[in-house]
Amino acid sequence: MAQETSRCVGPVVLLGPPGAGKGTQSKRIMEHYGIPQVSTGDLLRDHVDRGTELGLIAKAVMARGELVSDDLVCHMVQQRLMLPDCKRGYILDGFPRTAAQAGWLDALLEHELFDKSCPTKAWPIVIRLDVDYNLLLLRITGRRSCPTCGRIYNVHFQPPRVDEVCDEPHGTKLVARNDDRLEVIQPRLTAFREQTRPVADYYERTGRLISVNGDQSVDSVTDEIFKIIEDRHA
Ligand code: AP5
Ligand code: MG
């Protein structure tokens, strides 16, 4: 499919449990529509790597598999959405994750954070990726990513051509995420069940939730997501 890098897409929210494929699909949407991936997990990990004040707080919370406080995360998201590359839209990957964050986002969008000339200033397209629990465990424990380009692999499902090495020309050694350890996965899944499911329920009640079967191939999931975005703008 040809790239669509000039029209307004508006906000796209990807909901789903750890390992559902939010990051994988965000990168596909980003490449196709030319709108940025705003991943709260990636932004927080960047703060941790840089040793910022937020990073120091987030590091311990993330290592326990719990959620960072709403105030800190919302402030971080607001700063990111103010950058000019969000004018035509953006993909929220892993945000909102609590009822408070969803309410905050709605309030923010009421004030039209991005370009008023954009015809898609309306509510976000909210897509939930549903994946079977046992598959999630395989996806999370098998995940590797490239610290240079961010490309995501999986030793079971999307292995690199050479073991543990990125396929891109830089050939960086792949790494496993610090919170993909078995003892942290369970608290992350619990946080999703207890704090993030109500967010999906909220969007469902307001008629804004679209569910996609995330148990399909990466390409099939992408096809469904692109169709949802196209239907919204038809
Ligand atoms: P975050 O980084 O958002 O992690 P997560 O939500 O747990 O989700 P993951 O990144 O683990 O999974 P994903 O859905 O992106 O899957 P991926 O595409 O990589 O958050 C980390 C932490 O930060 C949180 O625990 C919390 O502490 C904090 N945080 C973040 N946001 C916050 C917020 N809003 N509020 C408070 N705290 C926050 O895919 C997984 C694997 O599966 C990969 O190996 C991939 O190759 C493979 N795969 C993907 N799709 C398919 C497919 N269709 N078929 C086969 N394999 C597939
Ligand atoms: Mg992710």
Side-chain angles (χ1 to χ4, degrees):
M1 213 188 280
Q3 264 195 318
E4 288 279 354
T5 53
S6 56
R7 72 178 148 139
C8 288
V9 179
V12 178
V13 170
L14 288 188
L15 293 177
K22 303 182 294 296
T24 302
Q25 296 300 330
S26 293
K27 288 185 178 12
R28 300 261 182 122
I29 302 170
M30 181 170 71
E31 276 162 24
H32 186 70
Y33 289 100
I35 57 173
Q37 172 193 18
V38 177
S39 157
T40 42
D42 287 349
L43 290 172
L44 288 167
R45 279 183 287 277
D46 181 55
H47 275 277
V48 171
D49 290 346
R50 287 187 289 122
T52 66
E53 200 178 330
L54 169 58
L56 292 176
I57 298 168
K59 186 175 183 179
V61 179
M62 292 168 83
R64 292 196 299 270
E66 296 168 7
L67 296 186
V68 177
S69 79
D70 291 331
D71 284 354
L72 292 176
V73 172
C74 291
H75 179 72
M76 180 183 77
V77 169
Q78 182 161 21
Q79 301 287 312
R80 179 64 187 88
L81 297 188
M82 272 156 47
L83 297 183
D85 63 339
C86 293
K87 287 274 184 251
R88 290 192 303 108
Y90 43 85
I91 309 141
L92 286 169
D93 162 3
F95 183 93
R97 230 169 164 105
T98 64
Q101 291 177 15
W104 177 89
L105 179 64
D106 274 359
L108 186 84
L109 292 173
E110 294 260 10
H111 290 95
E112 294 178 33
L113 189 76
F114 58 93
D115 196 349
K116 290 198 172 47
S117 64
C118 181
T120 53
K121 67 179 174 59
W123 298 119
I125 301 170
V126 183
I127 299 168
R128 181 182 60 194
L129 301 176
D130 295 325
V131 178
D132 175 75
Y133 176 84
N134 292 316
L135 204 50
L136 289 177
L137 293 181
L138 270 179
R139 286 197 186 177
I140 299 170
T141 51
R143 172 170 44 201
R144 303 287 184 274
S145 59
C146 173
T148 301
C149 65
R151 188 161 162 186
I152 304 169
Y153 296 87
N154 192 289
V155 297
H156 310 294
F157 307 113
Q158 284 105 28
R161 283 194 295 269
V162 178
D163 207 23
E164 303 290 338
V165 174
C166 185
D167 290 348
E168 300 297 331
H170 49 74
T172 307
K173 187 169 168 27
L174 303 179
V175 293
R177 245 167 62 180
N178 186 40
D179 60 350
D180 281 351
R181 288 170 290 126
L182 272 177
E183 63 272 28
V184 190
I185 293 172
Q186 202 54 51
R188 286 168 60 199
L189 291 168
T190 303
F192 174 78
R193 198 173 53 244
E194 293 179 355
Q195 291 167 276
T196 310
R197 275 216 183 124
V199 175
D201 294 344
Y202 164 70
Y203 285 125
E204 193 156 38
R205 272 198 313 277
T206 49
R208 290 190 265 158
L209 183 74
I210 305 170
S211 297
V212 167
N213 174 11
D215 280 2
Q216 314 170 73
S217 71
V218 173
D219 284 347
S220 300
V221 177
T222 306
D223 286 347
E224 284 202 27
I225 292 175
F226 285 1
K227 184 168 184 318
I228 291 165
I229 296 174
E230 293 304 320
D231 285 352
R232 169 66 82 90
H233 297 295

